[in-house]
Amino acid sequence: MDTSQTLDEANRPLRDESDAGIMPESRYARQSLFAPIGQEGQRRLGAGRALIVGCGALGTVLANNLARAGVGFLRVVDRDYVEGNNLQRQILFDESDALRGLPKAIAARERLTAVNHFITVDARVTDLTVDNVDELLDGIDVVLDGTDNFETRYLLNDVCVKAGIPWVYSGVVAAHGVSMTIRPGVSACLRCVFPDRPLPGTSPTCDTVGVLNGVVGLIGGIASTEALKLLLGDERVAPGILWADVWANTFERIEIPRQADCPACGRGDYEFLDSLGDEGGAVLCGRDAVQVRPLGGGAVDLAELAERLASVGEVASNGFLLRLRAEGHELTVFPDGRAIIKGTHDLTEARVLYARYIGM
C-alpha cells in the first residue's frame, strides 16, 4: 500500500476554487443577476473604494456586507480592541479575537480576507482626527459611519462636504436605529439635521442603555446597500433620514431639504475640520491620567448624568464634579464637559472610555 499517496489524496481539496464557485466570475452570480447591478455594475463595485470609520457593531456589519458584495478596496479604521462583550453584536469577531485582545481593525482584516481574498482590506488601528482625516480619505469613493460619537461624525461631515465625497451616517442604541445618505451639493448634510452637537452626557450610549443585535443588522443592511448605490452611481438613494425601532416595530422616514444657513453645506464653515488637532485631549504629565475635552465644549447636567451611570459603576457627585469608577478606571466629569480619566496615559483609550460612558 502506498501510504504517502493515500495521505496526499486525503489532504487534497475536494474541489478547486473554480469548482467551488469561489472565483470572481461565479461568486457574485446571484448579485449580478439583480438587474440594477448586472455584470457591469459588479465590475464597478470591484473598482470601488470605501472607508469604514469604526469597526464595532455597525462597522462590522458594513464591512462584512461590502466585502461579500465584492467592493474592491475597504479601509477600516478603528481605535479599540476586541472584548468579550462585543461578541453579542459585532459579527466579524469571535472568542479567540477577544482572548488575544486583537485590535478590531486587525481582527476585521483577518476575517474579511478569509471571506474574500480578491479584495484589499487596509486596516488602520487609529482614531480618526483632524490630523489624519485627509490621508484616510485619500482615494476614497464613499464613506460609511460606524462610529459611536458625534464629534467624529461632524468631522466626517465637514471633510466629506468640503471634498464632495458621499457618505452614509448611521447610528444604533437600544432598539433604535437611524440612517441618512448624504450627497454633498445634492442632499442635506448632517448639520442640516443636527446643527449643534448634542451636549456631553445627554445622549444614551450602548454601554448605558444597551443595544440589540437586530437593529444593528437592520441599519447596517440599509446603510451598506446605500453605499452600493453610491458606488454604482444609482440615483435611487434613500431620501432624508430613516428612524427605526425594532422593539416597537415603528419605522419613519423624514425628507429634509438642504438648509441655506447650514454651517457646513450652506455657509462653508467647517469648524470641526478647522479645529486644532490637539483640542480633543491631553495626557496629564506624571498623573497616569488623560484629560478629554469635547470639541465645542458644552454644559453637563451632573445630576442627570449620575442617574444614567448609576447602573454601570460606582458614582459620586457633589454638584461641582461627578466621579465614576468602572473597568478599573476613574472618570471625573466637570460641568463644562471636561473629564479626567485616571488609570491610563493613552489618549485613544481615554477617548473610548469618554465616548462609552459620557457620550461625545
Side-chain angles (χ1 to χ4, degrees):
M1 179 178 179
D2 188 344
T3 305
S4 62
Q5 183 178 6
T6 303
L7 290 175
D8 287 343
E9 290 176 353
N11 291 325
R12 188 169 60 240
L14 293 177
R15 298 181 293 174
D16 60 23
E17 287 188 344
S18 179
D19 289 340
I22 292 176
M23 297 300 290
E25 60 270 18
S26 53
R27 72 180 300 148
Y28 308 120
R30 299 300 183 272
Q31 182 168 277
S32 58
L33 282 173
F34 180 59
I37 295 179
Q39 294 291 340
E40 177 57 30
Q42 192 61 55
R43 284 189 285 271
R44 291 188 66 173
L45 294 179
R49 299 171 64 88
L51 169 65
I52 300 168
V53 183
C55 197
L58 276 173
T60 53
V61 174
L62 296 169
N64 178 71
N65 288 357
L66 295 190
R68 292 178 185 273
V71 175
F73 179 90
L74 300 179
R75 178 169 291 146
V76 179
V77 178
D78 193 278
R79 65 190 182 188
D80 207 352
Y81 60 91
V82 182
E83 300 177 271
N85 62 24
N86 301 150
L87 304 181
Q88 167 256 349
R89 64 202 177 279
Q90 300 183 16
I91 64 171
L92 288 181
F93 311 134
D94 60 28
E95 292 176 356
S96 68
D97 299 322
L99 289 170
R100 290 185 290 167
L102 280 182
K104 291 182 179 180
I106 301 301
R109 182 178 63 192
E110 288 186 1
R111 191 58 41 80
L112 294 172
T113 52
V115 165
N116 189 347
H117 71 281
F118 294 104
I119 68 171
T120 298
V121 181
D122 177 21
R124 302 292 187 96
V125 184
T126 187
D127 196 14
L128 184 136
T129 67
V130 171
D131 297 323
N132 64 14
V133 66
D134 287 332
E135 188 266 331
L136 292 175
L137 266 74
D138 184 42
I140 294 298
D141 300 314
V142 65
V143 177
L144 294 101
D145 168 26
T147 69
D148 57 5
N149 66 89
F150 266 90
E151 179 184 357
T152 304
R153 288 169 176 145
Y154 280 141
L155 175 57
L156 277 178
N157 189 72
D158 274 5
V159 71
C160 287
V161 168
K162 187 175 183 178
I165 301 172
W167 73 288
V168 185
Y169 155 62
S170 303
V172 292
V173 67
H176 313 287
V178 59
S179 182
M180 177 182 179
T181 303
I182 298 166
R183 293 187 292 166
V186 177
S187 70
C189 78
L190 188 65
R191 296 201 70 185
C192 290
V193 184
F194 306 109
D196 301 309
R197 179 176 56 83
L199 295 176
T202 60
S203 300
T205 73
C206 294
D207 290 272
T208 59
V209 299
V211 62
L212 297 180
N213 56 23
V215 73
V216 175
L218 172 67
I219 297 300
I222 291 170
S224 58
T225 303
E226 289 294 286
L228 296 184
K229 296 178 193 175
L230 292 169
L231 290 170
L232 292 169
D234 195 308
E235 292 293 320
R236 289 169 289 187
V237 296
I241 188 166
L242 169 73
W243 307 84
D245 184 328
V246 296
W247 203 257
N249 297 311
T250 57
F251 300 85
E252 183 179 9
R253 184 176 297 282
I254 303 173
E255 294 195 30
I256 300 172
R258 290 183 63 191
Q259 304 298 307
D261 61 345
C262 170
C265 71
R267 303 197 303 264
D269 180 7
Y270 307 114
E271 60 181 286
F272 290 88
L273 183 58
D274 295 336
S275 298
L276 295 176
D278 61 354
E279 284 187 352
V283 177
L284 303 182
C285 183
R287 293 181 55 188
D288 191 30
V290 174
Q291 176 178 271
V292 176
R293 183 191 299 273
L295 294 177
V300 175
D301 185 331
L302 296 181
E304 180 181 322
L305 183 61
E307 290 183 6
R308 186 158 62 82
L309 296 177
S311 63
V312 299
E314 179 184 344
V315 179
S317 178
N318 59 13
F320 300 98
L321 58 84
L322 177 148
R323 183 163 289 122
L324 168 69
R325 291 186 175 91
E327 294 188 66
H329 294 84
E330 181 180 282
L331 287 76
T332 302
V333 186
F334 299 88
D336 64 356
R338 289 183 303 115
I340 294 176
I341 292 89
K342 291 184 178 179
T344 184
H345 56 269
D346 185 281
L347 178 56
T348 296
E349 182 182 24
R351 288 165 60 86
V352 169
L353 290 166
Y354 191 102
R356 179 175 297 167
Y357 293 110
I358 314 303
M360 297 184 81

